[in-house]
């Protein structure tokens, strides 16, 4: 569960990503079909993005929503990674699972 102080981190993460992408608040606002004031309010933790806007923002920044949330809450990032691994492994046949297990054992011993 996210605590209030972690929401503070979300605004700064959103701002940091925008700056890394060399985008202005106005450019992000236009891409998300919101006002520049809304982006300013989000970045300064005066308002929170809706899930829909967060998804569009992650897409605009060329990252997954999981990655964006993982930047805010490290425990979520760990869970998302575990879930992705489990999903891939569940699609493997037993032969591939055995090979993966042997490979992991080699890496663990390295």
């Amino acid at each position: 569960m996210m605590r209030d102080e972690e929401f503070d981190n979300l605004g700064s993460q959103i701002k940091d990503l925008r700056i890394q992408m060399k985008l202005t608040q106005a450019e992000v606002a236009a891409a998300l079909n919101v006002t520049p004031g809304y982006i300013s309010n989000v970045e300064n933790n005066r308002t929170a993005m809706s899930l829909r806007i967060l998804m569009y923002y992650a897409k605009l920044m060329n990252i997954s929503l999981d990655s964006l949330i993982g930047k805010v809450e490290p425990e979520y990032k760990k869970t998302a990674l575990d879930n992705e691994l489990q999903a891939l492994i569940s699609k493997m046949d037993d032969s591939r699972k055995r090979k993966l297990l042997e490979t992991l054992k080699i890496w663990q011993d390295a």
Side-chain angles (χ1 to χ4, degrees):
M1 225 32 215
M2 292 181 92
R3 297 172 297 279
D4 287 344
E5 60 270 12
E6 288 170 329
F7 283 112
D8 293 345
N9 192 26
L10 182 59
S12 64
Q13 288 294 330
I14 286 171
K15 182 177 183 177
D16 290 347
L17 283 169
R18 175 182 61 77
I19 291 168
Q20 286 173 19
M21 297 295 287
K22 298 182 179 3
L23 295 171
T24 65
Q25 287 180 343
E27 290 168 331
V28 170
L32 300 179
N33 199 26
V34 297
T35 66
Y38 174 83
I39 298 301
S40 175
N41 285 337
V42 167
E43 290 182 358
N44 291 293
N45 303 305
R46 291 187 291 263
T47 192
M49 282 185 169
S50 68
L51 179 57
R52 181 179 63 84
I53 298 293
L54 272 173
M55 290 186 314
Y56 291 144
Y57 184 82
K59 186 174 182 178
L60 176 67
M61 296 297 142
N62 201 27
I63 61 173
S64 70
L65 185 56
D66 277 353
S67 177
L68 178 60
I69 300 303
K71 289 178 183 299
V72 178
E73 188 173 5
E75 195 57 36
Y76 179 87
K77 188 174 189 174
K78 179 182 173 202
T79 302
L81 181 60
D82 289 343
N83 289 343
E84 187 175 353
L85 283 168
Q86 288 173 350
L88 289 172
I89 292 168
S90 72
K91 295 175 184 175
M92 293 179 171
D93 61 27
D94 286 346
S95 173
R96 287 181 179 253
K97 286 179 184 177
R98 278 189 215 95
K99 288 177 184 176
L100 176 61
L101 182 59
E102 291 305 314
T103 302
L104 290 172
K105 286 179 181 177
I106 291 168
W107 285 352
Q108 186 177 19
D109 293 337

